[in-house]
């Protein structure tokens, strides 16, 4: 018959399991000390996007806009309907 499979499966199977394991293990860092950007900062970033395009934003600026977006969503969710 066929030769016995090595412990842990074939090399291809072990590589696939390794990739899945590390894809799931990616962690996101949440900085509790970061406060949401001020409306002035958001307006500055939006003006920069208008003038230079979204590709001109740094990673920190993108995070700030993302944080502002999430913060605005939470505020709207807690408001009572008119």
């Amino acid at each position: 018959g066929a030769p016995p499979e090595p412990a842990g499966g074939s090399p291809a199977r072990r590589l696939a399991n390794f990739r899945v394991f590390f894809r799931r293990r990616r962690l996101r860092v949440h900085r509790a000390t970061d406060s949401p950007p001020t409306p002035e900062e958001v307006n500055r970033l939006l003006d920069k996007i208008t003038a230079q395009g979204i590709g001109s934003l740094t990673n920190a600026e993108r995070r700030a806009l993302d944080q502002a977006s999430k913060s605005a969503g939470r505020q709207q969710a807690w408001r009572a309907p008119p």
Side-chain angles (χ1 to χ4, degrees), residues 30-35:
H30 296 279
R31 293 176 179 90
T33 59
D34 287 348
S35 59

Side-chain angles (χ1 to χ4, degrees), residues 34-39 42 64 67-68 71 74-75:
D34 287 348
S35 59
T38 63
V42 172
Q67 188 176 17
S71 176
R74 283 193 299 269
Q75 288 173 359

